Amino acid sequence: MGYDILAKIIELTDSEEAIEQRLKDVANLLAESFAFDQCALYLWDDEKRVFNLTVVAGDEVGCKKEYKEDEGLAGFTAAKGKPLLVAKSNPDRETWRGTVDKGIAGFTTIICCPIKNSLLYGMLYLKNKKKKSISSKTKKLFPVIAMQIATAIKNYQCIINLKDFNTRMKDMQARLVHAEKLLALGEMAATLAHEIKNPLMSIGGFAKRLHQQLGQDSSHMIYVDRIVKEVERLEKLMEGIVRFSVKSDYEFSSEDINRITEEAISFFEDDLKGSGINVVKSLSINMPRVEIDRQQLKLVFSNLLANAIQAMENGGTLTIKTRHEDNWVITEINDTGGGIDPAIIGNIFNPFYTTKERGTGLGLAITHSIITNHKGLIEVNNNLGVGVTFVVKLPVAIKEDRILEVS
Amino acid sequence: MKEKILVVDDEEGIRLLYKEELTDEGLDVHLAASGEEALAKLEKNKFDLIVLDIKMPGMDGIEVLRRVKEKWKNIPVILSTAYHHYKQEFGTWASDAYVVKSSDLKELKTTIKDILNTGRK
């Protein structure tokens, strides 16, 4: 019978099912094949250092949800590293040779077997109410079964880790591609900007002279006026491109993000008056300082605030939050402007991409490049129909005494 | 007497614009299309101020600035260029002012006036 069971267990643990289902199938098979009233399978949580009940087959009565690392037969067996066969004369007792285990009350024959290969993955409990004799051949089978279960869990964890790693790799690759794209676009833009700026200056400069000489009543005034205005717009665009593409020298200093946020908000006081926009500030106190370029960061928050305000033409709520999480200082800017069309969300950080009639398409591209130059991250949480949250994460400034480790 | 200034820029349009605008400001404007031409003019004439473009084919503005400060260290120089970032770069520190090019010449005119006024005192 032994080989049949083993073959089935290998088949079950190797199936395409979710790991919980596979363990459930194994537990059912064990309870049935060995005719035990209950088969419980616990998985080891290395962080919390407990065994958690994962699946149970048969009669679930008295089954404990959790065992601490030194608790009950699970703890005892884990310490020994070998399977244990318990035969009690009195099923009501919760103790076996001094080991208290409430989970065995009501059972007379218990097999407790660690699920392990080189590492401990969990604990297998087989319990029977009536006294049961187990042949030595069957006894030898349990460590092998447990090892097969352990291998299945190990493989599963490896796959999960691999998938996780793969996701992170893809994420990194996407970031890299984006960075390269920005760099190439930036270089091209800078070359173009230089070629355009000088002639533009001539056009604009002479148009201004014409403007002065024509006099207000000239019929040509509106044409010249248009030239002057359009040149100003183009010059502004060129300024943006140059700012974006030329790595300006950052002046880093230790700053309080709340102060910078407040300063950026104060720029928009006039725009917010009578806009129907309700401003909610939730700035966390005791924020660690960040090593940043004040002006650049103010530009980042101004860009994000301007976008949020523009998205709420008919009013809404602008929420600005700061918080500290792990090694990040996080600023969130949330609007209730209806969100971004998912079809274009992949483009919003690309230079020259804009949905606004008079936008340059550089605001978010510049924002992205400034944050990247601060070794930070910027994320968009889009809630279509509701609004958008831009999340700016900046690394917490490392204190110097922490850098000056052992030399 | 009108103050004599030298504008050095390789773009013809910009030279013409400066000439017109700055003449209107009451200045005696002379032009040079290259660094070499500028140095030649400096040898022959006495100028009160130089407006100097940085990016030029041949001798660039930084090199012209270096030579001017060696030989005529009392002539103030305003660097004028399309970019902000030269401001921090090595070599521009020796200039008296730095103006970013724009079709709006207000900043340049104010800077010229300020420097000439300080010179008079």
Side-chain angles (χ1 to χ4, degrees), chain A residues 190 193-194 197-202 204-206 208-209 212 231 235 239 242 246 249, chain B residues 11 13-14 16-18 20-21 24 55 82-85 88 100-105:
Chain A
H194 182 76
K197 262 190 119 170
N198 280 324
L200 202 55
M201 184 180 165
S202 294
F206 288 119
K208 278 203 180 89
R209 284 185 68 75
Q212 282 158 8
V231 166
E235 280 193 312
E239 200 52 52
V242 170
V246 174
D249 290 330
Chain B
E11 293 260 341
I14 288 172
L16 185 61
L17 179 66
Y18 280 172
E20 305 264 302
E21 285 277 312
D24 284 359
K55 230 177 172 182
Y83 303 110
H84 286 287
H85 67 279
Q88 288 108 356
V100 175
K101 279 183 175 175
S102 156
S103 67
D104 188 348
L105 294 181

Side-chain angles (χ1 to χ4, degrees), chain A residues 86-91 104 106-110 128-131:
Chain A
V86 173
K88 294 192 294 180
S89 50
N90 178 6
I104 62 170
F107 296 98
T108 317
T109 306
I110 302 117
N128 208 46
K129 285 171 186 158
K130 285 186 184 148
K131 194 178 169 210

Side-chain angles (χ1 to χ4, degrees), chain A residues 312-358:
Chain A
M312 297 186 284
E313 276 182 329
N314 303 315
T317 305
L318 174 65
T319 315
I320 301 113
K321 279 186 197 165
T322 59
R323 64 193 158 89
H324 173 208
E325 195 181 290
D326 301 327
N327 283 322
W328 298 106
V329 164
I330 301 172
T331 312
E332 289 183 9
I333 294 174
N334 167 266
D335 65 59
T336 56
I340 303 169
D341 180 357
I344 65 155
I345 202 145
N347 291 325
I348 59 168
F349 291 114
N350 285 344
F352 310 116
Y353 186 84
T354 183
T355 55
K356 296 173 195 161
E357 213 172 298
R358 295 192 79 80

Side-chain angles (χ1 to χ4, degrees), chain B:
Chain B
M1 214 188 92
K2 276 185 183 175
E3 269 130 338
K4 210 168 174 180
I5 80 161
L6 179 64
V7 171
V8 192
D9 201 301
D10 60 315
E11 293 260 341
E12 198 188 346
I14 288 172
R15 284 199 304 275
L16 185 61
L17 179 66
Y18 280 172
K19 169 102 180 162
E20 305 264 302
E21 285 277 312
L22 299 176
T23 307
D24 284 359
E25 294 295 311
L27 297 163
D28 178 15
V29 185
H30 294 249
L31 303 172
S34 68
E36 291 81 355
E37 194 187 336
L39 293 172
K41 289 205 166 176
L42 279 159
E43 291 287 353
K44 288 180 190 153
N45 300 282
K46 195 180 167 293
F47 290 97
D48 298 301
L49 189 135
I50 305 168
V51 178
L52 184 60
D53 184 26
I54 294 182
K55 230 177 172 182
M56 289 186 294
M59 192 189 290
D60 71 0
I62 303 288
E63 179 61 18
V64 177
L65 174 69
R66 196 181 65 75
R67 297 202 190 188
V68 168
K69 288 295 167 187
E70 260 174 26
K71 215 164 172 183
W72 304 279
K73 63 172 185 284
N74 292 325
I75 306 179
V77 178
I78 299 175
L79 281 176
S80 125
T81 185
Y83 303 110
H84 286 287
H85 67 279
Y86 278 116
K87 230 169 187 167
Q88 288 108 356
E89 257 173 39
F90 176 76
T92 63
W93 57 272
S95 73
D96 297 83
Y98 187 98
V99 173
V100 175
K101 279 183 175 175
S102 156
S103 67
D104 188 348
L105 294 181
K106 248 183 258 152
E107 193 192 349
L108 180 68
K109 288 178 191 169
T110 334
T111 313
I112 292 174
K113 269 183 201 155
D114 286 350
I115 290 177
L116 291 178
N117 282 339
T118 350
R120 270 195 215 113
K121 273 172 203 166

Side-chain angles (χ1 to χ4, degrees), chain A residues 11-61:
Chain A
E11 192 185 309
L12 290 177
T13 49
D14 237 13
S15 82
E16 295 294 321
E17 300 283 348
I19 191 76
E20 286 80 10
Q21 186 58 47
R22 282 187 259 165
L23 295 177
K24 179 94 190 162
D25 293 342
V26 169
N28 278 330
L29 177 76
L30 290 175
E32 262 172 48
S33 312
F34 295 105
F36 272 81
D37 293 323
Q38 185 188 92
C39 175
L41 210 147
Y42 293 81
L43 286 184
W44 173 242
D45 183 334
D46 203 46
E47 229 167 81
K48 292 183 184 147
R49 306 206 70 78
V50 290
F51 293 97
N52 285 316
L53 180 64
T54 310
V55 293
V56 49
D59 189 351
E60 296 186 16
V61 69

Side-chain angles (χ1 to χ4, degrees), chain A residues 60-114:
Chain A
E60 296 186 16
V61 69
C63 199
K64 265 172 75 69
K65 288 265 179 281
E66 179 191 294
Y67 284 98
K68 296 194 179 66
E69 68 180 310
D70 53 359
E71 186 187 356
L73 295 181
F76 181 87
T77 315
K80 291 254 185 254
K82 281 191 294 188
L84 178 76
L85 175 63
V86 173
K88 294 192 294 180
S89 50
N90 178 6
D92 294 334
R93 289 191 57 188
E94 293 173 359
T95 45
W96 179 79
R97 291 187 189 166
T99 304
V100 183
D101 189 333
K102 288 188 175 153
I104 62 170
F107 296 98
T108 317
T109 306
I110 302 117
I111 293 172
C112 192
C113 180

Side-chain angles (χ1 to χ4, degrees), chain A residues 193-222:
Chain A
H194 182 76
E195 293 307 315
I196 292 170
K197 262 190 119 170
N198 280 324
L200 202 55
M201 184 180 165
S202 294
I203 298 169
F206 288 119
K208 278 203 180 89
R209 284 185 68 75
L210 274 178
H211 194 274
Q212 282 158 8
Q213 287 164 15
L214 275 176
Q216 284 302 327
D217 48 344
S218 165
S219 57
H220 295 144
M221 196 63 173
I222 48 166

